[in-house]
């Protein structure tokens, strides 16, 4: 059982006070502009109708302070009720409505600027779909208010072999591919990247090891979304939001369980895990992905054999799809795994070889 020292229980429970103005789907600014275009050619009656319709519509469309709208539209309507002549009437109408438009936009902007999007990611009653959409529509700066503790991609170094690693005949040197590989030793739940792979079980409802760490960091909404996926077969991959985690998505996969020896079936299943996670990422236009050492903990896959499957599958996938990915991160948690990957990476991602004569 993997011993996890992760300190990731990020507490994100903030009070929930979202105004409609701050929600991405609010159509008010474009709607009010189209109304003001008609203001010039309106008669008094249709202007009245428009004001009361606009008032009702705006109020239903957004959190707009009733008093502000009432003041502006009442003022313009009362001026109009003095029956001014032709062009003055239209001008007053336009003034009244454009004042309403400006008030609306100004209020909308102020409220949007003071937007305090609060997510209550630790309440089981929160709607996971709405939270997921809100997180997806936030820019990185706002998302960082949610998870705070993170390791940005720029802090995750591209792998370079230490010392004179002798080239192995496994693969041809390819600098383009080498630049896309990282070896990171630490907690995968801290990585601020597009997607982290989870070594899950078939229920997808959480467990121990890295699965437990990811669910703890994400919060209860992850399990709520997972519960809608009807589980996952060995070797398959399914993607969810990441909620309280710095990653944007979690790609859950179920590795093979190895009881005694690794057979062709187990090897193919592990290969499918890596391939299907990468395919799920690129299909969703995600460009940075991290893998834990799938199946090498509770599921008992010998790490020295799993590393060969992981590196070979990622190398082959990158050869076919290098333009779709910027970084694949092998995230190891144990020192023994770190040493294993350091030893084997140069077999699959060799640096340009120097002639053997140079090495002597
Ligand atoms: N970050 C990165 N790697 C981690 C972390 C972490 N926070 N925690 C554990 N690991 C490593 C372990 O050290 C191991 O190398 O993840 C690797 C996979 O080990 P497990 O998590 O035990 O996963 P696996 O062997 O695939 O077994 C899956 O275990 O946790 C349950 O619900 C899970 O039933 C499933 C089974």
């Amino acid at each position: 059982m993997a011993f996890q020292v992760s300190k990731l229980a990020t507490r994100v429970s903030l009070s929930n006070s979202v105004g409609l103005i701050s929600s991405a789907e609010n159509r008010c600014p474009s709607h009010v502009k189209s109304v003001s275009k008609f203001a010039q050619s309106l008669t008094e009656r249709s202007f009245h109708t428009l004001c009361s319709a606009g008032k009702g519509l705006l109020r239903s469309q957004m959190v707009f302070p009733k008093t502000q709208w009432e003041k502006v539209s009442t003022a313009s309507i009362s001026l109009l009720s003095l029956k001014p002549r032709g062009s003055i009437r239209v001008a007053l109408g336009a003034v009244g409505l454009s004042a309403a438009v400006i008030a609306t936009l100004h209020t909308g902007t102020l409220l949007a600027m003071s937007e305090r999007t609060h997510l209550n990611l630790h309440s089981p009653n929160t709607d996971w779909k709405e939270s997921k959409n809100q997180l997806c529509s936030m820019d990185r700066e706002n998302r960082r208010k949610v998870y705070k503790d993170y390791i940005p991609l720029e802090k995750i170094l591209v792998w370079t072999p230490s010392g004179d690693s002798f080239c192995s005949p496994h693969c041809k040197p390819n600098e383009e591919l080498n630049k896309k590989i990282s070896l990171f030793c630490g907690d995968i739940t801290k990585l601020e990247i597009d997607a982290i792979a989870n070594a899950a079980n078939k229920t997808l409802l959480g467990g121990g090891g890295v699965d437990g760490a990811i669910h703890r960091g994400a919060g209860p909404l992850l399990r709520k979304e997972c519960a809608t996926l009807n589980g996952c077969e060995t070797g398959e991959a399914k993607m969810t939001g990441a909620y309280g985690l710095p990653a944007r998505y979690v790609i859950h996969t179920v590795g093979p369980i190895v009881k005694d020896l690794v057979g062709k079936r187990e090897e193919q299943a592990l290969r499918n895990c890596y391939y299907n996670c990468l395919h799920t990422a690129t299909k969703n236009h995600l460009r940075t992905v991290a893998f834990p050492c799938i199946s090498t903990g509770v599921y008992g896959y010998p790490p020295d054999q799993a590393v060969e499957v992981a590196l070979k599958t990622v190398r082959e996938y990158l050869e076919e799809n290098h333009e779709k990915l910027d970084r694949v991160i092998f995230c190891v948690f144990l020192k023994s795994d770190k040493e294993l990957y350091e030893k084997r990476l140069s077999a699959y991602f060799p640096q340009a070889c120097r002639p053997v004569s140079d090495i002597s």
Side-chain angles (χ1 to χ4, degrees):
M1 183 63 169
F3 176 62
Q4 358 133 10
V5 284
S6 46
K7 307 176 295 304
L8 47 109
T10 45
R11 304 295 307 156
V12 215
S13 49
L14 301 166
S15 66
N16 187 354
S17 61
V18 177
L20 284 181
I21 285 177
S22 61
S23 55
E25 66 276 3
N26 173 359
R27 291 179 298 285
C28 175
S30 55
H31 177 78
V32 173
K33 274 195 213 105
S34 57
V35 166
S36 61
K37 273 199 215 93
F38 292 107
Q40 312 311 322
S41 56
L42 284 180
T43 61
E44 179 184 332
R45 204 139 51 78
S46 55
F47 180 67
H48 272 289
T49 325
L50 182 75
C51 272
S52 46
K55 191 176 6 175
L57 207 56
L58 281 179
R59 209 183 295 132
S60 68
Q61 285 294 316
M62 58 184 291
V63 174
F64 178 76
K66 191 165 165 289
T67 46
Q68 193 141 356
W69 167 266
E70 296 267 296
K71 256 188 268 163
V72 173
S73 51
T74 315
S76 44
I77 292 170
S78 49
L79 279 172
L80 282 167
S81 59
L82 301 175
K83 302 254 181 292
R85 292 271 156 259
S87 57
I88 297 173
R89 182 189 311 164
V90 171
L92 274 175
V95 166
L97 192 65
S98 45
V101 167
I102 291 163
T104 307
L105 290 181
H106 177 64
T107 310
T109 313
L110 281 180
L111 285 178
M113 271 161 52
S114 71
E115 147 185 345
R116 292 174 301 117
T117 309
H118 281 240
L119 290 167
N120 195 341
L121 298 178
H122 279 262
S123 155
N125 311 319
T126 305
D127 179 306
W128 65 265
K129 269 196 196 119
E130 189 178 311
S131 300
K132 183 177 178 180
N133 291 338
Q134 276 193 299
L135 283 164
C136 290
S137 62
M138 279 186 208
D139 59 22
R140 194 167 65 171
E141 193 198 331
N142 272 313
R143 287 185 52 249
R144 284 180 171 179
K145 293 174 194 162
V146 172
Y147 47 75
K148 296 190 185 56
D149 188 10
Y150 57 90
I151 298 167
L153 181 65
E154 45 274 18
K155 288 262 189 314
I156 304 169
L157 303 179
V158 169
W159 178 72
T160 47
S162 50
D164 284 330
S165 53
F166 179 68
C167 292
S168 106
H170 272 325
C171 302
K172 286 198 306 300
N174 180 327
E175 287 312 311
E176 270 317 295
L177 300 190
N178 291 358
K179 280 190 285 197
K180 295 179 186 280
I181 295 298
S182 291
L183 175 61
F184 175 82
C185 185
D187 184 352
I188 200 168
T189 65
K190 297 285 183 247
L191 303 185
E192 188 186 49
I193 57 174
D194 287 346
I196 57 173
N198 178 24
N201 58 55
K202 287 186 174 183
T203 68
L204 292 186
L205 298 178
V210 66
D211 192 12
I214 287 173
H215 274 268
R216 269 194 307 284
L221 300 186
L222 177 60
R223 183 186 162 101
K224 280 178 97 171
E225 181 176 2
C226 285
T228 65
L229 298 178
N230 300 320
C232 181
E233 286 308 314
T234 300
E236 296 299 310
K238 292 192 174 180
M239 191 166 96
T240 64
Y243 303 100
L245 293 170
R248 290 173 54 217
Y249 296 94
V250 179
I251 302 177
H252 307 264
T253 189
V254 180
I257 297 175
V258 176
K259 292 203 173 65
D260 17 43
L261 291 178
V262 175
K264 277 286 163 229
R265 203 164 64 95
E266 289 79 13
E267 187 181 324
Q268 185 57 50
L270 186 60
R271 179 184 165 72
N272 291 346
C273 287
Y274 284 91
Y275 180 89
N276 288 326
C277 285
L278 290 171
H279 180 63
T280 303
T282 53
K283 195 173 60 178
N284 289 280
H285 311 294
L286 306 182
R287 301 189 63 83
T288 53
V289 185
F291 287 102
C293 303
I294 301 169
S295 266
T296 63
V298 169
Y299 280 5
Y301 204 110
D304 60 331
Q305 296 180 53
V307 67
E308 304 297 333
V309 176
L311 292 177
K312 186 167 183 289
T313 309
V314 170
R315 167 81 199 211
E316 288 168 359
Y317 190 88
L318 281 175
E319 280 173 354
E320 300 300 316
N321 305 277
H322 54 87
E323 76 291 348
K324 296 179 188 166
L325 286 163
D326 294 336
R327 198 81 70 83
V328 177
I329 300 159
F330 295 103
C331 178
V332 293
F333 202 57
L334 305 175
K335 195 162 162 292
S336 53
D337 286 328
K338 179 171 182 283
E339 287 157 4
L340 208 47
Y341 272 80
E342 278 170 346
K343 207 167 78 192
R344 300 302 295 149
L345 264 165
S346 48
Y348 293 91
F349 296 92
Q351 305 293 313
C353 282
R354 284 184 290 134
V356 176
S357 53
D358 279 12
I359 294 178
S360 50

